[in-house]
Amino acid sequence: MMDTHLVLAFVAACALISLAPGPDLLFVVANGVAGGRRAGVLAALGMSTGLAIHTVAAAFGLGALISAAPQALTAVRIAGAAFLLYLAVMTWRNSRAELEPTAVPRRSLRRTYLMATLTNLANPKVILFYLAFLPQFIGTGAGAWPVTAQLLALGLVFIVIGLAVDGTAGLLAGALAEKVAARPGFRRTMERLSAAVFAGLAARLVVDSR
């Protein structure tokens, strides 16, 4: 079994990390503002999918393989930056178009989900989190679960907490966007702020790849 005190400490740490404004949360909010509640929730699900992949990779030792092949990680980050930049440009262009006052402009929900997953996978800080942070909460006493099982369980806890926080943020951001749908001027400003967030995240990925 797992040490209860370690699990509780991990839950508290995950809650604090998830609530702190970071690239993932900003991406979710930006999509909620630009595409409505469904886009915000789909972005949160995409982030959780990325975390699930990171969890499996860390549990089965693929994190060490990624560390040994930094060129592959750099390529993923650059690809993610290019997609984010494209999303920024398209969002900015949408903000300049004449919009119907009765609806929030909708982007492809599938693209939103895939972009969120890629953004999370391309974030080197998430990889470092899994490699450096999770092992601190692994129990080694008598009767402890295998390390792989503990890593999977801890990753699941992190995903659930992260999804709750990101999903709520995306839902609230989308609800705000839909309430101001009848005010094109304000909506245009929010679209442009979303475009700026996407561009900033793209620049951050480029900087981190150097």
Side-chain angles (χ1 to χ4, degrees), residues 27 30-31 34 79-96 107 111 115 119 188-204:
F27 184 90
N31 273 282
F83 277 115
L84 283 170
L85 186 58
Y86 167 78
L87 194 57
V89 172
M90 295 303 297
T91 302
W92 184 270
R93 289 181 61 185
N94 286 341
S95 73
R96 300 177 63 183
R107 66 178 75 252
R111 184 178 67 179
M115 279 303 308
T119 298
R188 185 177 297 111
T189 299
M190 298 301 289
E191 282 263 332
R192 291 181 177 180
L193 286 175
S194 296
V197 170
F198 294 139
L201 293 175
R204 181 169 182 168

Side-chain angles (χ1 to χ4, degrees), residues 36-114:
R37 286 176 289 184
R38 291 180 66 187
V41 172
L42 260 293
L45 288 172
M47 291 296 174
S48 295
T49 300
L51 290 178
I53 295 173
H54 280 301
T55 296
V56 173
F60 292 96
L62 295 182
L65 179 60
I66 293 174
S67 298
Q71 297 83 359
L73 181 58
T74 298
V76 172
R77 286 200 296 261
I78 292 175
F83 277 115
L84 283 170
L85 186 58
Y86 167 78
L87 194 57
V89 172
M90 295 303 297
T91 302
W92 184 270
R93 289 181 61 185
N94 286 341
S95 73
R96 300 177 63 183
E98 290 296 328
L99 303 173
E100 293 294 332
T102 57
V104 175
R106 300 292 180 181
R107 66 178 75 252
S108 167
L109 295 178
R110 179 181 180 183
R111 184 178 67 179
T112 296
Y113 172 80
L114 292 176

Side-chain angles (χ1 to χ4, degrees), residues 95-191:
S95 73
R96 300 177 63 183
E98 290 296 328
L99 303 173
E100 293 294 332
T102 57
V104 175
R106 300 292 180 181
R107 66 178 75 252
S108 167
L109 295 178
R110 179 181 180 183
R111 184 178 67 179
T112 296
Y113 172 80
L114 292 176
M115 279 303 308
T117 302
L118 178 59
T119 298
N120 183 272
L121 289 175
N123 187 352
K125 291 181 174 58
V126 177
I127 296 174
L128 291 176
F129 170 84
Y130 272 88
L131 294 180
F133 188 69
L134 260 65
Q136 299 180 40
F137 297 91
I138 297 297
T140 57
W145 289 358
V147 172
T148 297
Q150 291 190 61
L151 286 172
L152 290 173
L154 292 174
L156 179 60
V157 170
F158 187 42
I159 291 168
V160 170
I161 294 174
L163 180 59
V165 173
D166 289 347
T168 300
L171 196 62
L172 292 176
L176 173 63
E178 291 170 0
K179 283 185 177 181
V180 301
R183 301 172 59 184
F186 185 75
R187 187 174 61 212
R188 185 177 297 111
T189 299
M190 298 301 289
E191 282 263 332

Side-chain angles (χ1 to χ4, degrees), residues 11-34:
V11 169
C14 287
L16 291 175
I17 292 171
S18 298
L19 288 170
D24 288 3
L25 187 58
L26 289 175
F27 184 90
V28 170
V29 171
N31 273 282
V33 168

